[in-house]
Amino acid sequence: MSLIREYESKLPPDTLAKYRRTFDQFDRDGGGDVDVRELGVMFRALRQFPTDRELQRMVEDVDDDGSRTVDFNEFCGLMLRLSRAKQTPRWLRLALDEGLVHTQGDADDTSDEPRMDANGRLDLSGRLTTEDLQLMAADLVSSAPSLRALVLSANPVSADGFVHIAAALLRSKLHTLGLAHCALGDTQAGQLAEMLRLNSTITHIDLRDNQITDRGLLEIGAAIREANNSLQVLRIKGNRGVGVEALTALEPLLLRNSLASAIDGQLPDV
């Protein structure tokens, strides 16, 4: 199950044509992608002056194929991110953009707005009710390096919203992910499995009260067996399509990870 995000199909034909002309203008070697240097030239031509680190992060945030360059589909993703950034509500920025919080301090804090606590836990339950908000949250995850626990429960997560969130979490240091009652099915379970193959920090996932069946759970189990040694707790109650056989197959894999973690924790320093 791929975590490659599709951007071109999200754009109207006239906007897509405009982006294509811009991209081709700065793809000077005609290789079909642009590197950080070419991206910098492009932004300067648009009278924007991001730093080298900001340019590098832009590439990292959309580089789904790991090429360290930006192809046209990824360029469309970058432009969509920049457009969404202008529309992101202030409460969501304050919740996830640590640089913004550190700049503005606590003077603007209000009790009814979600905030990351001192342990890096952020609860966005019921707050990301539209796909746009889910995409905006995914865009901001890289701005929150201290994020350790993210609760997204009771949000009707769209297919596109979920793949963006899963892709954004690949490079995070998250250990707890709450996705209870999010209307997730086997497709999303497969995408979650792909994330687990590439993320070695997540230890707890809550998938209660979704629409996952044995097929989706077995994909997660295969990811744990083949490539993941970190996941120890998976809460799956309330997924009526999950049977005893799939649960029985998953349990020893989680136990293996838990025991390995406990044993490692008892080894003396050498």
Side-chain angles (χ1 to χ4, degrees):
M1 184 68 64
S2 174
L3 289 180
I4 300 295
R5 292 165 285 187
E6 172 57 41
Y7 299 111
E8 295 178 57
S9 63
K10 308 298 180 184
L11 294 166
D14 56 338
T15 302
L16 191 63
K18 175 184 176 182
Y19 287 171
R20 171 56 78 179
R21 289 193 298 270
T22 302
F23 182 84
D24 289 345
Q25 180 181 354
F26 292 96
D27 178 20
R28 296 186 174 182
D29 60 4
D33 56 12
V34 296
D35 57 22
V36 172
R37 179 184 59 81
E38 291 170 321
L39 195 61
V41 172
M42 185 185 307
F43 274 102
R44 286 191 290 274
L46 296 171
R47 303 187 67 81
Q48 297 184 42
F49 303 94
T51 65
D52 289 345
R53 176 62 193 131
E54 287 170 336
L55 286 169
Q56 187 62 48
R57 198 171 84 175
M58 288 179 192
V59 173
E60 292 172 354
D61 285 343
V62 298
D63 183 22
D64 286 347
D65 60 7
S67 65
R68 298 185 181 180
T69 60
V70 175
D71 62 25
F72 180 63
N73 179 60
E74 293 166 343
F75 174 72
C76 290
L78 178 57
M79 300 307 288
L80 284 168
R81 288 173 66 97
L82 293 173
S83 176
R84 283 196 295 267
K86 299 175 183 178
Q87 304 170 42
T88 301
R90 185 172 172 280
W91 68 263
L92 185 54
R93 280 197 167 281
L94 285 172
L96 277 165
D97 192 329
E98 293 181 35
L100 184 62
V101 172
H102 294 158
T103 299
Q104 297 193 1
D106 296 327
D108 297 320
D109 191 22
T110 58
S111 58
D112 62 337
E113 293 182 343
R115 291 288 188 275
M116 193 186 310
D117 67 19
N119 296 316
R121 183 181 188 275
L122 176 62
D123 190 343
L124 294 176
S125 297
R127 299 299 298 255
L128 306 181
T129 53
T130 67
E131 181 175 275
D132 284 343
L133 286 172
Q134 293 157 21
L135 295 175
M136 291 169 185
D139 292 345
L140 286 169
V141 165
S142 62
S143 300
S146 300
L147 186 65
R148 295 294 179 270
L150 180 61
V151 182
L152 300 175
S153 301
N155 289 301
V157 181
S158 72
D160 204 36
F162 187 82
V163 72
H164 277 73
I165 291 168
L169 294 175
L170 285 177
R171 294 188 299 274
S172 76
K173 295 181 179 178
L174 205 73
H175 59 67
T176 299
L177 179 60
L179 292 166
H181 199 64
C182 287
L184 305 180
D186 288 338
T187 297
Q188 288 74 40
Q191 292 163 343
L192 188 63
E194 184 62 24
M195 184 192 72
L196 288 171
R197 285 188 169 90
L198 301 170
N199 181 296
S200 60
T201 66
I202 293 182
T203 59
H204 293 66
I205 297 179
D206 186 353
L207 288 173
R208 290 174 299 163
D209 299 315
N210 281 292
Q211 299 164 14
I212 298 169
T213 71
D214 282 353
R215 182 170 67 86
L217 190 61
L218 289 172
E219 285 195 56
I220 292 174
I224 298 170
R225 182 175 61 252
E226 296 165 9
N228 180 278
N229 295 315
S230 63
L231 188 66
Q232 300 172 22
V233 176
L234 181 64
R235 304 180 73 182
I236 201 74
K237 184 178 179 180
N239 288 270
R240 297 182 179 179
V242 172
V244 174
E245 185 176 349
L247 289 171
T248 302
L250 184 66
E251 187 173 341
L253 300 174
L254 297 173
L255 180 61
R256 178 205 66 185
N257 286 354
S258 297
L259 289 175
S261 176
I263 292 170
D264 287 344
Q266 296 173 25
L267 291 176
D269 294 330
V270 295

